[in-house]
Amino acid sequence: MDHQAIDKIQQLVHAAMIGNPGTDVPTLLVPDGYSLESLEKYQENPSRFRGTFSTESIEDYGNYVNAEDEARVFVDVDAMRAAAFFDLGNPSAPGHGEHRAYLKLEATGAYVACLAAHDSSFGQKELAHWIEDWHHCITGIDSNGEDLTAKQLANAVRKIEIKATSERSHEDGDWNTKRSGMDALDASAGDATPDIIRFHCIPYEGLGYRTFEMRVSILTDDIKPKLKLRFIGLETAQEEMAKEFKQVLADELEENATLLLGSFSK
């Protein structure tokens, strides 16, 4: 019998003497370096439940979490997401935390378009087309405080005209020459100009219908006017949506779930 065969026999005898290392998941020490191998995959059932559920639906998330006996749900209102753990245990009897459920609210297409328009500059035709594309979400107010439909708003944008006025003075003296000049550009769209664009939409699925207001500024730095849209109270609206997200989620979950603000990682 050669040396390698003798070594193999010794390894098998040694492994048999050690037997089960005593883990919760059945394992055995296998020769060839005594690597620790799990036998769980050969069992009829796994030793514990593992799995991750992910969704964008608050309703489906609530249904999944409520089906468990116990859950700790950590809510990150700034990121509009939540993470539930069903097997964390406690400090004296910790769990593995391998059964989880994640919720991540995704912004609707309308809200994404609204955010993209914020602080952006448009040509007249570009803005008119944007208003027509989202006409079902848009109303407006002109500089006289009158309400505008999306069609009236788009027409008002197209009718904006730029008028230039110039003033020049010239003075000649014996020892000097003075010149001064001033150019002024004035934008108008008939009797009134577009002042406020109101964008009505559901920002996130599961949250309520909301109206966002954007102020229209006319930039006259060039011969062709540019129109700039800027949110009014964007930060306040985002804070309100975060609070609404937490409240809607709390209403969806039952007593077996503990709701906590913040994030958790293992």
Side-chain angles (χ1 to χ4, degrees):
M1 186 178 295
D2 61 18
H3 181 69
Q4 289 184 345
I6 294 174
D7 286 344
K8 282 291 185 183
I9 293 172
Q10 289 177 338
Q11 289 175 3
L12 289 170
V13 172
H14 194 187
M17 291 173 61
I18 295 175
N20 191 323
T23 61
D24 292 332
V25 177
T27 54
L28 286 173
L29 283 174
V30 180
D32 189 16
Y34 297 108
S35 60
L36 193 63
E37 299 289 339
S38 171
L39 303 181
E40 184 180 16
K41 60 185 178 182
Y42 301 110
Q43 297 177 169
E44 183 177 357
N45 299 309
S47 297
R48 60 179 177 270
F49 187 88
R50 305 176 182 87
T52 300
F53 174 72
S54 299
T55 183
E56 299 172 6
S57 167
I58 294 179
E59 182 180 358
D60 291 336
Y61 188 75
N63 291 336
Y64 189 89
V65 173
N66 293 333
E68 299 299 319
D69 295 332
E70 183 180 359
R72 268 179 277 185
V73 184
F74 300 89
V75 183
D76 185 344
V77 292
D78 293 330
M80 305 295 277
R81 64 188 178 194
F85 292 82
F86 307 104
D87 56 345
L88 280 181
N90 54 62
S92 59
H96 287 271
E98 293 179 327
H99 183 196
R100 309 174 182 184
Y102 292 106
L103 170 66
K104 172 62 177 173
L105 296 191
E106 294 294 333
T108 62
Y111 184 52
V112 169
C114 188
L115 286 176
H118 169 60
D119 223 13
S120 297
S121 297
F122 296 85
Q124 286 175 264
K125 185 183 292 186
E126 293 173 332
L127 183 57
H129 286 170
W130 183 82
I131 292 170
E132 289 168 345
D133 288 342
W134 296 99
H135 68 277
H136 54 287
C137 299
I138 288 177
T139 59
I141 304 175
D142 67 18
S143 54
N144 292 330
E146 298 294 327
D147 290 335
L148 299 173
T149 64
K151 184 177 180 180
Q152 291 171 329
L153 194 58
N155 289 337
V157 167
R158 285 192 172 96
K159 290 179 180 177
I160 292 174
E161 294 180 356
I162 295 295
K163 295 181 180 179
T165 58
S166 299
E167 182 179 331
R168 292 285 185 270
S169 64
H170 182 83
E171 179 181 344
D172 284 329
D174 292 336
W175 302 101
N176 58 24
T177 298
K178 294 182 181 179
R179 293 181 181 178
S180 65
M182 180 179 65
D183 292 327
L185 293 175
D186 181 49
S188 66
D191 296 333
T193 55
D195 189 36
I196 299 291
I197 290 179
R198 286 176 170 164
F199 201 100
H200 318 275
C201 69
I202 294 174
Y204 297 93
E205 291 298 334
L207 301 189
Y209 203 72
R210 186 174 288 271
T211 296
F212 303 95
E213 292 191 345
M214 291 181 284
R215 186 170 299 282
V216 182
S217 300
I218 302 176
L219 308 179
T220 57
D221 298 334
D222 202 349
I223 295 176
K224 291 186 177 181
K226 290 285 186 179
L227 296 103
K228 187 172 184 179
L229 304 185
R230 185 167 182 80
F231 257 106
I232 300 174
L234 177 59
E235 292 79 9
T236 300
Q238 290 173 333
E239 290 174 2
E240 291 174 352
M241 288 187 289
K243 291 177 182 177
E244 183 185 1
F245 169 49
K246 183 197 171 197
Q247 186 59 53
V248 170
L249 185 56
D251 293 341
E252 197 71 37
L253 300 180
E254 297 175 356
E255 294 181 354
N256 57 333
T258 302
L259 199 64
L260 302 166
L261 286 182
S263 58
F264 178 84
S265 60
K266 285 179 89 299

